[in-house]
Amino acid sequence: MNEKIIVYEHFRNGSLAKHLDNPCLTWMKRLKICIDAATALKFLHEDGGEQEYLMVHRDIRSGSILLDADWNAKISNLEFSRKVVERAEHLDDNACFSLGYIDPIYKNTGFFAQPSDIYSLGVILFEMLCGKLAWTEGCENHSQSLGPSAVRYYNEEGNLDKMIFEVLKEQITPQSLTTFQMIAIQCVHVNWDERPTIHQLIIQLQKALEFQEDYEIWEPKLPIDYKEIIRASKTPECDSEMKKDLYHMLSKGILLQEAKVLFSLGNNGERNEMISAKRFSYKNHLLPKWRSLPESRFPKVAEMFYVSNLNIQIKIRTQFLSPSVNYKVHLIFRFRGPRKSQAKQMYVNLKYKMGKENLHAYFATWREDGWMMIELFQFLNHKKDTDFEVLLESFSRCYCGNDSIYIEAIQFQAMDNASFKYSFAPVKQEEIEKLKEVQQVVKSASKAYKMKVKKDHMTWFALSEIKRKKDELLSAKKVVYNSSNVAIQSRFSGAIECLRRPVLHIKCKIESQMLSANSQNACYLVFKLSEKCCGLHGPVIVRDLFNRRSKETGVLYFRHPNPWNVRDTDWVPRQRKDGWMEVIVWKFNSNYELKDDHLFVNLKLTTYEGTMSGLIVRGIKFRPI
């Protein structure tokens, strides 16, 4: 047998003809289906055949457009396609043509060309708009089919409003409708030369889709008062009518209020605000110089010459923030000279005041734009206008050097609600009483002890090889030695009190039986702060000396810092039931860190500023995480 079989992939949603009146087929989906069909026909017309031939499909209809499960469209019935040598060719066989889609020129002359496919595709456009087939029951001739009827109605009424599928009327934006119906009417023009090419058709369909996406997707993302915001800006790009362009422009940020406020939108539509340093008050006797920097968002930034004496008063009112949204407040700045380290974070210790409270912001973060930011505060915004007041006092001269500093702005940036930190959990009353007892013991101790240390100012805790049960404390007192290997006494049983040194060294060798096998573990330092201790507010850097090649360091606090000073990787202390405090100083994997069934610990704790004076160490312990 000489039978020929055509095999197509399975299309779950069948042909387009079955879904013209489907209310679930939204206007957005219909536009995308039309673009898919036109793109497939473009491949056939422009790319699918040999250069010396022109290809025509000859059977474009809604029944030959197939839809997959995701409503992606493909053209079938390619077996009827033909090559034509010239612009048009006379065809005697019209068995492949369906009523309602036939090009009137072919019907009258017998000549068929690529514009004939455009005509058929134009009829499908009307089918998609009107939600019905081109040839319905009652049609007696071609002039009564959907294509000619739509053109006559448009010429008489100036629109197709009454012919549009009822479900679509509330969906279509006017710009999308106008663009779509105009290209559809051009497709079914009586003259070939007046019909668009397939390339022109696709461009217009994409415009119709962009208008609809503007209406359905991008306009809802814009602020309700976006027109007022745009009018307040002198940015030339604000003249764009496309909501997509406006959204991207607002996401990038636009300058308002004489270029002293930068307004921007977050990923979820939250409103952010950056207020220029021009709005600050400078109380220092040496006023700042105003510089123009090409990398700044504002025309001018303030150059301050003394990082250790800023005295900048910031008293401003925000006007564009979103209510009921959590915000972070950052100072945006950079140093004039080159920095020694381009690490992601830099210790700067910014001292500032909010009301009567003295605060510190320790770490500044490098931004992708070359500026640095440091977090000052977090708050839940309750209204559109919010008063904010802060006094910037100084940066750490030890770490920031003598270079001048550029102050750009204060930034109010919306944050994820899940990461918002109001405060740490309050300490229970019974734990406070235990702390008071400890303070009384420290206060009553009359004898002062001195400790000799090595030249590198490191205090050594050498914890010996003692078999202990898991999670049992390893005492510091029994194995603490100075440079002469003489045991140092402590006023607390099993503990020592550190003197005025910036470094604490923990060194020990632990048998594997003390650790939980095949697990992630942590080493905890058990401690208290004496009543005389007035420091240790800031972060302490932790280095693993057995792994000197690694640049990774840990950061811990002996006192609870402000919530906005804590990063996810920082270690903060917690209260124990026995009245002592504990904080993680090291994390490790027992599988990888063990050598000869022992764990070797060699940690160096260094304060950024100040000393360890007043730190009472009881010992260390290990616990699986």
Side-chain angles (χ1 to χ4, degrees), residues 271-273 318-323 327 379 381 384 412:
R271 302 149 69 104
N272 301 316
E273 191 171 345
T318 64
Q319 298 182 19
F320 302 101
L321 301 184
S322 303
Y327 280 92
F379 70 100
N381 188 42
K384 183 179 178 181
F412 296 82

Side-chain angles (χ1 to χ4, degrees), residues 566-619:
V566 181
R567 300 164 296 174
D568 294 335
T569 56
D570 291 349
W571 300 319
V572 295
R574 70 183 185 91
Q575 184 73 50
R576 290 161 51 101
K577 292 181 179 179
D578 59 4
W580 290 79
M581 302 288 288
E582 66 178 30
V583 64
I584 294 176
V585 293
W586 186 41
K587 290 183 179 181
F588 61 94
N589 191 308
S590 58
N591 295 346
Y592 301 106
E593 303 293 341
L594 288 176
K595 295 180 181 179
D596 300 326
D597 291 329
H598 288 87
L599 174 70
F600 295 89
V601 182
N602 192 357
L603 304 176
K604 180 181 179 182
L605 280 63
T606 310
T607 60
Y608 278 97
E609 294 181 278
T611 69
M612 295 285 184
S613 177
L615 176 66
I616 304 169
V617 179
R618 184 178 178 186

Side-chain angles (χ1 to χ4, degrees), residues 190-334:
V190 293
N191 297 324
W192 279 352
D193 293 338
E194 299 296 329
R195 297 174 190 172
T197 63
I198 190 62
H199 180 69
Q200 294 169 337
L201 173 57
I202 292 174
I203 290 176
Q204 294 304 310
L205 290 175
Q206 288 175 337
K207 284 185 178 180
L209 178 60
E210 288 176 1
F211 285 129
Q212 192 64 28
E213 287 178 338
D214 246 27
Y215 174 72
E216 290 190 32
I217 298 177
W218 299 107
E219 188 168 6
K221 292 184 176 182
L222 294 174
I224 297 177
D225 57 345
Y226 77 91
K227 293 182 180 179
E228 299 177 12
I229 295 173
I230 295 300
R231 281 195 295 267
S233 173
K234 296 182 180 180
T235 306
E237 294 82 359
C238 292
D239 295 334
S240 174
E241 294 182 359
M242 297 300 293
K243 306 301 185 297
K244 180 180 180 181
D245 295 337
L246 292 177
Y247 175 79
H248 288 308
M249 183 187 60
L250 291 176
S251 298
K252 185 179 179 181
I254 61 172
L255 289 173
L256 308 175
Q257 298 182 359
E258 300 179 349
K260 294 179 181 178
V261 175
L262 183 77
F263 172 87
S264 64
L265 291 178
N267 294 331
N268 297 319
E270 303 94 342
R271 302 149 69 104
N272 301 316
E273 191 171 345
M274 187 181 292
I275 300 177
S276 168
K278 276 284 189 180
R279 291 278 181 91
F280 305 166
S281 298
Y282 301 89
K283 306 297 183 180
N284 200 317
H285 67 280
L286 185 61
L287 295 177
K289 286 190 176 181
W290 296 99
R291 306 292 189 186
S292 296
L293 300 182
E295 60 271 22
S296 175
R297 304 157 187 78
F298 297 98
K300 298 287 185 179
V301 299
E303 182 179 6
M304 305 297 296
F305 296 95
Y306 297 102
V307 297
S308 58
N309 184 19
L310 296 175
N311 205 9
I312 301 175
Q313 180 75 39
I314 302 175
K315 189 175 182 180
I316 53 181
R317 168 172 288 189
T318 64
Q319 298 182 19
F320 302 101
L321 301 184
S322 303
S324 303
V325 172
N326 298 316
Y327 280 92
K328 288 183 178 181
V329 183
H330 293 102
L331 175 69
I332 310 299
F333 70 98
R334 55 174 285 192

Side-chain angles (χ1 to χ4, degrees), residues 41-88:
L41 187 60
K42 178 180 180 292
F43 175 80
L44 184 68
H45 280 192
E46 298 182 358
D47 306 315
E50 300 176 7
Q51 292 183 354
E52 61 268 26
Y53 295 104
L54 296 174
M55 294 294 298
V56 293
H57 187 281
R58 297 202 304 154
D59 193 28
I60 299 294
R61 53 188 173 87
S62 54
S64 63
I65 296 176
L66 305 180
L67 305 171
D68 65 13
D70 296 321
W71 301 100
N72 298 309
K74 293 186 179 180
I75 292 180
S76 64
N77 292 1
L78 295 175
E79 63 272 18
F80 295 115
S81 300
R82 289 282 299 271
K83 298 177 181 179
V84 292
V85 179
E86 302 295 338
R87 181 172 182 266

Side-chain angles (χ1 to χ4, degrees), residues 3 53 84 107 140 168 212 243 262 265 288 333-334 355 368 377 451 477 518 544 605:
E3 292 183 357
Y53 295 104
V84 292
K107 184 178 181 181
E140 298 180 356
L168 301 178
Q212 192 64 28
K243 306 301 185 297
L262 183 77
L265 291 178
F333 70 98
R334 55 174 285 192
E368 293 181 358
F377 189 56
M451 181 185 300
K477 179 181 177 182
N518 303 320
D544 179 7
L605 280 63

